[in-house]
Amino acid sequence: MADERLLDDLAGIVGAANVLTDAADLAPHLVDWRGRYRGRARCLVKPGATGEVAAVVRRCVAERVPMLPQGGNTGLVGGGTPDDSGGTVIISLARMRRIREVDPVNFTLTAEAGCLLREVQTAAEEADRLFPLSLAAEGSCQIGGNLSTNAGGVHVLRYGNMRELTLGLEVVLPDGSIWEGLRALRKDNTGYDLKQLFIGAEGTLGVITAAVLKLFPRPRAQAVAWLAVPAPAAAVELLSSMRSEFGDRVTAFEIIAASALELVLVHIPGAVQPLADPRAWQVLVELSDTAGDRALSGALETMLAGAMEAGAVEDAVVAQSGAQAQALWKLRESISEAQRIEGFSIKHDISVPVSRIAGFLESAEPRLREAFGQVRIVAFGHIGDGNLHYNLSRPAGLDNDEFIAQTPLVNRIVHDLVVELGGSISAEHGLGQLKRDEIRRYKSPTELDLMRALKRALDPAGLMNPGKLL
Ligand code: FAD
Ligand code: ZN
C-alpha cells in the first residue's frame, strides 16, 4: 500500500509515463556497463525539470527511501548501480537535456545534467567554441555523470578534468532543497567553493541538475601521430621534449602496450595495425593549434625525425588526413570495448607523478610475476596525466574462476606500489563499489573522517546513493 502510494505520488510529480516499474524497462538500469554489478530497484523516475527532481527527492526523504542518481550508466566502478535491497528509487536525468545558454563571449555554456557529453561538444562547436572533455563513452555518458565522476579522458593534459572545466552548478540537495550555484565566473572568492563538493561525489551528496562549463577557442589545425618507443621511460622523455617544443599545443599523449592494441585488432572490426613492425610500447600524440595556417604536421614530422635519429622513437606514422587521424584515435578509443569483449579483467585506474610512470611499470610487472608466475598485462592510458589503466587479462593457462580469485592480491600489489610512489588508486573513474573498501587502506583516518563528516552534514539520513564511495 505504502509502495503504491509512493509510486502514485511520484507519478503525480513527473507524469505516469515517466515512472518505470516494469522489469524489462528497468533491466538496463540495474546493471553496469561491464556487467559486473547488478542490483534491484523499486522504480526509475525521469523528472523533466529541477523542481521535479526536488519534489521527487522530498517525497523519497519523507518515506526514507534510498535514491540513486543515474546518468548514461557508463561508469566503470559500480557507482550508478543500485544495491539489491530492491527499495531504491533511481532518479534518471535523461529528460533534462536542454542547453540553457551558450555565451561565446564569456566562453561558457550552461547545460542540464542529462545532456549527453557529445551534445555539449556539438553545441560548443556550433558557437565556434570547444568543449574539450573527450572520452570513448561520449555518445552515451551525461554531463551529470561526468561531473559526478570528475571525468578525465584524453585531453586533461591540456584542458584539465571535469573539475577544472566547471564554473557553476545547480544541485538538488539530499533534503530536496535546491542550491542555485550556476555562476559563470572565473573569479569568485566568497567563501567555500561549494561546487567542488559535488564534483566527484558520485551522487552521494545530491543530484546535479545543471552546470556552467568552460569553453575554449576551437583548434583550426591538428596533427596526430602513432609512434613506437623503446620503453615507457622514452615515452615520458618524449612527452617532456614535446611540451618544451610545442607548449600547450600538445593536447593528447596516450600510451598503448602492444597487448592492448592486440585486443583491438582481434575484437574490433576494421581495426588495422598502424605500424609495419609492432613494438611493445606505442604512443598516440595529438597537437592542436587555434591558428589554422601553421604547418603543424610538418613541425611534428621534423621533431619526430630528430627523435628517431636519437633513438627515442623507433617508428612513426603521422596522419595525412582527418580520416587517418580518426582511424588512429579509434584504435585508442576501442581498447575498453575490446577488453570487455575479451572477458573479465582485473582493472586498475591509477595515477602517479608523470616522472614516476616508468618506475611504476618497471616494478609492477616483476612483483606480479613473482606472486603469480604468469600474468597478462594490458596497460594503456593517459600517460601525459600520469594516469594508466593497468589491467590484467586472464592468462591462457588459467581458468576464469582461478583468475578472478587472484583479484584481491593483484590489487594489493598494484595499489601498494602506487601509493609507495605517491600515487592514487583511482585517477578518473572514482570509487563507487569497486574501490569503496580498498580506499580505507590508503586514506588516513583524518581524511576518511572528514569525508564522513561532510556526508553526514549534507545527507544525515544516508539516503543519497548509499553504499557507494564511503
Ligand atoms: P553514470 O555511470 O550513470 O553514473 C556515474 C556516477 O555518477 C554514479 O555514482 C551516479 O550515481 C552519479 N551520477 C550520474 N549522474 C548524476 C547526477 N546528475 N547527479 C549526481 N550524481 C550523478 N571515464 C573517464 O574519466 N575517462 C575516460 O577516458 C573514460 N573512458 C571510458 C570509456 C568507455 C568505453 C566507458 C564505457 C567508460 C569510460 N569512462 C571514462 C567512464 C565513464 O564514461 C565516466 O565515468 C562518465 O563520466 C560517466 O557518466 P555517466 O553519465 O554514464 O554516469
Ligand atoms: Zn581513461
Side-chain angles (χ1 to χ4, degrees), residues 57-229:
V57 170
R58 281 197 301 273
R59 189 67 191 82
C60 290
V61 171
E63 216 69 48
R64 295 187 76 80
V65 167
M67 294 159 273
L68 167 73
Q70 198 178 73
N73 201 16
T74 68
L76 297 175
V77 293
T81 313
D83 60 25
D84 57 11
S85 67
T88 305
V89 170
I90 301 177
I91 303 176
S92 162
L93 279 290
R95 282 179 65 226
M96 293 193 55
R97 212 158 156 179
R98 247 176 357 112
I99 303 285
R100 290 192 192 162
E101 191 188 359
V102 182
D103 184 344
V105 176
N106 197 41
F107 282 78
T108 51
L109 176 155
T110 307
E112 291 186 343
C115 288
L116 300 183
L117 171 53
R118 180 160 297 148
E119 292 170 340
V120 168
Q121 294 167 341
T122 304
E125 244 169 71
E126 282 164 3
D128 196 27
R129 296 289 178 260
L130 171 77
F131 182 63
L133 188 76
S134 174
L135 43 111
E138 63 199 24
S140 36
C141 63
Q142 298 177 4
I143 287 300
N146 300 150
L147 287 157
S148 301
T149 59
N150 184 25
V154 296
H155 288 143
V156 173
L157 173 65
R158 164 67 179 87
Y159 299 101
N161 49 24
M162 200 56 179
R163 195 180 290 288
E164 289 156 279
L165 297 173
T166 307
L167 292 177
L169 288 186
E170 177 187 87
V171 183
V172 173
L173 301 175
D175 65 356
S177 55
I178 299 171
W179 175 52
E180 307 265 10
L182 281 182
R183 297 178 195 113
L185 302 174
R186 284 176 174 74
K187 291 192 159 182
D188 175 19
N189 282 351
T190 53
Y192 303 138
D193 190 356
L194 295 178
K195 66 177 178 290
Q196 301 298 357
L197 280 180
F198 303 97
I199 302 174
E202 300 182 52
T204 61
L205 298 179
V207 186
I208 297 175
T209 49
V212 182
L213 304 171
K214 280 188 202 168
L215 301 181
F216 293 82
R218 208 148 76 88
R220 315 271 157 203
Q222 237 155 17
V224 172
W226 190 283
L227 332 165
V229 290

Side-chain angles (χ1 to χ4, degrees), residues 76 135 152-154 254 332 336 349 380-382 387-389 428-429:
L76 297 175
L135 43 111
V154 296
E254 302 276 310
R332 163 63 188 87
S336 298
D349 163 37
F380 63 97
H382 321 290
N387 176 194
L388 286 177
H389 299 309
E428 57 172 13
H429 295 160

